[in-house]
Amino acid sequence: MGCSFTVAIDGPAAAGKGTVSRAVAAHFGFAYLDTGLLYRAVGAKVIGGMGPCEAARTLAREDLEAEGLRSSAVAQEASKVAVIGAVRDALTAFQRDFATQEGGAVLDGRDIGTVICPNADAKLFVTASAEVRAKRRHAEMQHSDSSESLAQVLADVRARDARDMQRAEAPLRPAQDALLIDTSNLSIDEAVSAAIGAVNAKRTKT
Ligand code: CDP
């Protein structure tokens, strides 16, 4: 094998995974894949009337750029299609290919360290309390035209957490060898430094 190095970053909705993952990828010059986007793109096609398995099997790169993938309606649909084993299977090969590319890769999601890349070189589980996560997502939404109340966003976050953690296929949980980063009381810079430090520690060992 050449010089691939895989960083798996998992955690619940709005814990800061995306921000931490992008910063880690930029710091080390690795490619970055937001795997949630794959499930969101499938969810969006299902809202558009397609069957979930067909949507997953025919998913194309340009589907990841569809408009509205960040909406909470699409997020809820994504977590519904994500319980279907055949949907997850159809998305596995793409994620594994991405993970083992030369030059290194960061993937963020729910099951990267447990199912997609159990042999990842570094594994992080980024989390925060449901209240903190709902506040962050609500603040993010102020930049869009969505008018959901904080209570509604918290209810959505909890519904998605429950579905993601309780499903039979690839449930959301930390891998045994993942480093836990709780960002409830951390600034973005602090969370990013902790993540970069953890990946650096693994890099000097390999
Ligand atoms: O950005 P946020 O954390 O709110 O959500 P996301 O990462 O875009 O994921 C949307 C939904 O896709 C999640 O609630 C999961 O149900 C599902 N998902 C998954 O099952 N496995 C992944 N690797 C990534 C996302």
Side-chain angles (χ1 to χ4, degrees), residues 98-112:
F98 191 94
T100 51
Q101 68 185 279
E102 292 249 337
V106 178
L107 285 81
D108 87 32
R110 302 290 189 286
D111 64 337
I112 308 303

Side-chain angles (χ1 to χ4, degrees), residues 68-122:
L69 293 186
R70 292 281 158 211
S71 74
S72 42
V74 170
Q76 289 298 335
E77 191 59 42
S79 77
K80 289 180 190 163
V81 302
V83 308
I84 304 169
V87 165
R88 307 197 69 83
D89 290 346
L91 302 176
T92 298
F94 176 80
Q95 295 176 79
R96 288 194 177 144
D97 281 350
F98 191 94
T100 51
Q101 68 185 279
E102 292 249 337
V106 178
L107 285 81
D108 87 32
R110 302 290 189 286
D111 64 337
I112 308 303
T114 49
V115 173
I116 300 295
C117 305
N119 298 321
D121 299 282

Side-chain angles (χ1 to χ4, degrees), residues 70-73 75 134-150 152-154 156:
R70 292 281 158 211
S71 74
S72 42
K135 264 192 205 152
R136 287 181 188 157
R137 186 53 47 99
H138 187 248
E140 260 169 40
M141 289 171 137
Q142 304 312 302
H143 306 297
S144 68
D145 44 12
S146 160
S147 57
E148 277 179 51
S149 67
L150 179 58
Q152 183 60 48
V153 177
L154 178 58
D156 282 356

Side-chain angles (χ1 to χ4, degrees), residues 9 12-21 126-128 133 136 183 191:
I9 303 187
K17 286 189 313 282
T19 306
V20 165
S21 301
V126 179
T127 185
R133 291 186 287 120
R136 287 181 188 157
T183 67

